[in-house]
Amino acid sequence: MTRPECLAFEQAVFGAGDGAVLLERRPDLAEHHAECLSCRRWLEAFTAGTEAAAGVPAFAAGVMARTAATACARARELSASAFDAPLPAVERSLVEAHLEICAGCRAVVAEMVTAMAALPALAEAEPGPWFAARVLGATSRRPAPAREAWRRRWAALVSRPRFAIETAYALTLCLVLVTGNPLSALEWTAARVEPLVERVETPIQAIDVRVRAWRHRTALGADAPKADVPGARTSWSRWIGKSWGALFQAWSGWFSRIVAGLRSLLAEARRWGLELLERARTLATEPHADSARFL
Amino acid sequence: MEPSDLSSLIARCRAGDELAWEAFVRLFQRRIYGLACTYVSEREEAADLAQEIFVRLFETRARWATHDEFLPWMFQVARNRAIDFVRRRKVRRPAASVPSDEVPTLVDHTEGPEVQAIGGSRRAWLRAALGRVSALSREVLLLRDVQGLSVQETAAVLGVPAGTVKSRSNRARTELAEQLLTAGGDQRTS
């Protein structure tokens, strides 16, 4: 959107016909010219249009300077596509008309023509007389034995950029599975905070109680008696059952500890909230005592 | 080389003819090395990359595409290999490398030393400008305007629709021209 100051600037330049002389005579316009980038560009285009573009109205050059951002992009795109196939007559004339008044696009298109002529020369380069012999030497070796091929495949696997990340991930997973719960800090917090917290049945506790009851009811619970009927199950299936039970116990233990940690955090937050409320209530009931301290 | 000669050369290479493979290496070494030079700037690294590309081609020669589709297929193999090479190089930099601003010395025996020097510096300037454009633009420029592949062949190599190749190509040419213009302006200023 053109501001009133910019319109006044344009009218003054049109009236004077010469921007440089006008700026010398009118300090207010010179100040606006120094501040307004749009008007600086417009004046440059106006001056260039007056001096260089014979037959092209200076007014058009000025308008283009203010609005030609998309026109320039379109003209450059069409000029680039002209290297693949000739442009239709209408588009060609539009681009030519634009290039007549836009020095920036003229320069870009000129560079484009030069570059397009020079680029095919980059397709080939002389590697030196030794190169073919080197490639033939590398590819004419006898087929590698199986162990060598396996070693090479392993080396290629290890030398991949992602190998370090994948190894770290796998090792972390193994470490967690072997050593147990990494969130033991939560458990420690729970043990520390538990005695300070008033015992109130929360929804999470209710769920925990239900989970414990369910575990006791099922055969996978730690203390529940296990059905052992000789001949009914093979040793393999018993082993699978035991492993699954142990895994389930480990995971449920983790879950319980995480729940306990979260519960203690919630309880601590609740305690802080209550303390703050108590403090606010004290301040509200005894305003004079506090204000007397500041007097 | 005539298309029929290239077809028979490809067929012989696929059949495991060592002489045909040697002729193939001698025929395409300049082109593959030129392609490698656009991905890495040091001569030794470019030679290593070009050799890796040839070794890969040799290993997969039983599965080579037929004559019509061979060039796009070969450039696809070369491109994949070059991307792997550049990634590997980023992870493990060589212990001692000698950077070279003058990207490979391009020897042309038909020209005198003066013309050769001018041509070499112009190519180096163009390569430097190519190095400054975005990766997407550079790939399209390399395949379309440097290697001379058609829109459909470039689309097959890059795995994108032909329309996308056209629009990317137009943007890439404009970007390169603007880079050259900026570089020329900087040179004039300095």
Side-chain angles (χ1 to χ4, degrees), chain A residues 8-32:
Chain A
F9 181 84
E10 284 177 18
Q11 284 169 0
V13 173
F14 275 130
D18 189 337
V21 176
L22 184 73
L23 290 179
E24 282 177 11
R25 288 180 190 164
R26 295 275 302 270
D28 56 327
L29 292 179
E31 189 180 347
H32 176 73

Side-chain angles (χ1 to χ4, degrees), chain A residues 76 80-81 84 108 111-112 115-116 118-119 122-127 131-132 134-136 138-139 159 161, chain B residues 21-22 26 29-31 33 47-48 50-51 54 58 91-92 106 126 130 144-146 170 173 177-178 180-181:
Chain A
R76 290 174 190 188
S81 68
D84 292 330
V108 167
E111 288 291 347
M112 216 184 288
M116 293 301 290
L119 278 176
L122 300 184
E124 293 187 349
E126 182 59 61
F131 182 74
R134 182 177 152 182
V135 171
L136 291 171
T139 55
S159 63
Chain B
W21 169 247
E22 186 182 333
R26 293 196 188 285
Q29 58 173 343
R30 291 166 59 92
R31 203 156 180 184
Y33 183 70
D48 289 345
Q51 180 175 324
F54 273 117
F58 180 78
V91 174
R92 292 180 180 79
L106 303 169
L126 204 54
L130 265 177
R144 283 280 291 128
D145 300 325
V146 176
N170 293 342
R173 286 166 183 166
E178 286 168 355
L180 285 170
L181 204 60

